[in-house]
Amino acid sequence: MGKVRRRQRTNPASRNSVQHKKDSNDTTGGEGTLPSPATQRTTNLIGSLVQLGLIWAVGAVLLKIANSYMPSFTLMNKPNSTIPGVPIKQVAYDEMMKSPNTIVVNGISLPKELLSPMERYPNMYNITEEMRVLHFSPVVKFPNKWVEEEDENGTRKKRRKVPNYDVLDLTTAVGEAQLATEEERDVARKHGGRSRAEKKDKSFHVGRYDEKRTQMYSSGLFHSDSSETVIDGYSSQKQRTVHVGIDLDGPVGTKVHAFCDGIIHSAGYNPDLGDYGHVIVVEHTLPQSNNSVIWALYGHLDAKSTANKPKGKRVKRGQVLGRFGDIHENGGWKMPHVHFQLSSHPPDTHDMPGAVSIEDRPRALLDYPDPRLVLGPLY
């Protein structure tokens, strides 16, 4: 067996003496000395500030690079928007119309043919079907109807619900048939609206975007040789016939919903015959689109719709903004409806040109994008 060593017992007093000596060395400094807690916190704070500064600098560089490759978003948020490089007003209409199928202005393609399919119009906000489903609300909630469809084999029929509305062709509509007279408006104003018999139509309809309504716009708002009305740079001295919004028709009192979150840009009453009547403009911030801003006009509403709508008031997606007005409130239009129009720039006030001249059409298709980007493929 090996030797067994006995452990020498240490005097507790001597152990305390050694520990006291060690603690003294730690507090007096020297090699291997630990910093005080206050010093450590200061060092950590300085390090965090340096990291934040580096992150900010890298972010600023990346943002600058992104903006150089994403001109559409900067274009969308500038008042009086122009195609990059050339003001739209200075582009000759005859030159643009030489192309057989499309009008190309500084790389932006526009459909030469009116009433083109939805995909032919520019989508500078990159709005997708997913965005519409997840983040947008219908402006008008049409009633549904059941339809029967055959399966792929043509043997079995299945039923499903679809929105119940008709698409109108207003290319040959006559303005006198669409607008009430001033006398009719006065009577409706006196009695709080038209009679039930006059408002018996409960059907819903859609009026199309980029439709040339040659005979429909008969009031001086849309054409005047003697006096000029200018709305956001669009003059009435040119015959304004091309519709640049979408009409959603239905009974008086139909609810109108905000399609997305936003704030009130302006609200008011445009009283002239053929005008919007009570109208609201909302500044909407589009989700999942680089927080781009787009302006939407909701026109031909009733008087209650514009009450308590101060500038800057927040609205939520799906919120009821107002209701369809009757002839004494909506500008005199016999068919109750909301004129829904998008704009890539903020209007001067609660107004936009709902129709433009054929010469101004290329410019207008950029200033006032296809509302189906928001509403979906209604037709």
Side-chain angles (χ1 to χ4, degrees):
M1 294 180 61
K3 293 183 178 180
V4 177
R5 293 185 178 181
R6 293 179 178 270
R7 174 177 287 182
Q8 186 175 1
R9 298 185 64 183
T10 306
N11 189 339
S14 64
R15 283 204 306 268
N16 291 340
S17 176
V18 171
Q19 182 65 39
H20 175 72
K21 183 177 180 180
K22 182 178 180 181
D23 293 343
S24 298
N25 289 338
D26 288 346
T27 57
T28 56
E31 187 175 3
T33 303
L34 294 174
S36 66
T39 304
Q40 185 67 40
R41 285 196 298 271
T42 303
T43 303
N44 292 340
L45 179 60
I46 293 173
S48 298
L49 291 174
V50 170
Q51 289 179 348
L52 287 174
L54 289 173
I55 292 172
W56 180 87
V58 172
V61 171
L62 292 176
L63 182 61
K64 186 174 181 181
I65 295 172
N67 282 335
S68 65
Y69 285 96
M70 296 166 62
S72 62
F73 292 126
T74 56
L75 168 67
M76 288 301 94
N77 292 296
K78 287 184 179 179
N80 304 319
S81 64
T82 57
I83 296 176
V86 179
I88 300 173
K89 293 180 182 179
Q90 297 178 11
V91 178
Y93 174 76
D94 292 339
E95 290 297 318
M96 288 188 289
M97 295 304 289
K98 289 181 179 179
S99 172
N101 298 315
T102 59
I103 305 168
V104 180
V105 183
N106 282 28
I108 301 178
S109 296
L110 306 171
K112 183 176 179 179
E113 185 178 353
L114 287 89
L115 295 172
S116 290
M118 176 179 168
E119 58 272 13
R120 294 284 307 281
Y121 294 96
N123 182 4
M124 294 176 288
Y125 288 92
N126 298 318
I127 295 174
T128 64
E129 177 65 20
E130 180 183 13
M131 288 176 62
R132 284 193 289 268
V133 171
L134 295 179
H135 301 290
F136 295 166
S137 165
V139 172
V140 171
K141 296 180 179 180
F142 295 116
N144 290 322
K145 65 178 180 180
W146 287 99
V147 296
E148 289 188 350
E149 294 180 340
E150 294 183 350
D151 60 14
E152 296 178 355
N153 299 324
T155 56
R156 182 180 177 185
K157 291 183 177 180
K158 57 182 179 180
R159 301 178 73 221
R160 68 184 182 95
K161 285 184 178 181
V162 297
N164 186 13
Y165 63 86
D166 297 316
V167 179
L168 300 177
D169 181 350
L170 297 174
T171 55
T172 59
V174 179
E176 287 76 7
Q178 304 295 323
L179 286 172
T181 65
E182 288 294 354
E183 291 76 15
E184 290 172 322
R185 295 177 76 193
D186 289 340
V187 171
R189 193 175 292 112
K190 181 179 178 180
H191 295 283
R194 290 176 290 174
S195 67
R196 289 186 178 180
E198 292 175 302
K199 299 186 295 184
K200 63 181 179 180
D201 187 3
K202 302 297 183 182
S203 58
F204 288 80
H205 313 275
V206 170
R208 297 174 293 181
Y209 172 74
D210 196 24
E211 180 178 54
K212 189 175 182 181
R213 302 173 175 180
T214 307
Q215 304 178 67
M216 185 168 172
Y217 300 121
S218 55
S219 75
L221 285 173
F222 301 96
H223 180 62
S224 175
D225 294 325
S226 57
S227 61
E228 182 180 20
T229 301
V230 179
I231 306 173
D232 284 352
Y234 291 85
S235 172
S236 63
Q237 289 190 330
K238 298 176 182 178
Q239 182 70 48
R240 298 196 289 121
T241 58
V242 181
H243 190 239
V244 287
I246 277 184
D247 295 329
L248 306 172
D249 306 349
V252 169
T254 298
K255 294 178 181 179
V256 176
H257 304 262
F259 85 85
C260 187
D261 293 350
I263 60 173
I264 299 294
H265 169 275
S266 51
Y269 181 56
N270 301 358
D272 292 337
L273 183 64
D275 212 324
Y276 290 123
H278 291 276
V279 56
I280 301 170
V281 177
V282 179
E283 178 183 307
H284 294 283
T285 300
L286 299 177
Q288 294 187 352
S289 187
N290 200 33
N291 291 323
S292 297
V293 174
I294 196 168
W295 290 262
L297 180 145
Y298 305 78
H300 308 307
L301 308 177
D302 65 11
K304 292 181 180 179
S305 301
T306 51
N308 193 28
K309 295 290 192 305
K311 181 181 178 65
K313 183 176 182 178
R314 294 193 176 277
V315 299
K316 300 296 290 182
R317 178 187 69 177
Q319 175 183 331
V320 177
L321 287 176
R323 296 171 183 265
F324 290 5
D326 206 342
I327 58 173
H328 62 295
E329 302 171 302
N330 70 4
W333 296 94
K334 292 182 180 179
M335 176 71 77
H337 67 284
V338 60
H339 173 93
F340 179 71
Q341 183 168 332
L342 301 176
S343 177
S344 61
H345 62 277
D348 295 332
T349 181
H350 44 81
D351 204 2
M352 294 178 193
V356 301
S357 68
I358 191 67
E359 293 84 4
D360 285 334
R361 175 179 173 267
R363 171 191 167 202
L365 295 184
L366 290 170
D367 280 348
Y368 308 111
D370 186 348
R372 289 177 293 180
L373 293 174
V374 164
L375 301 175
L378 295 175
Y379 58 89

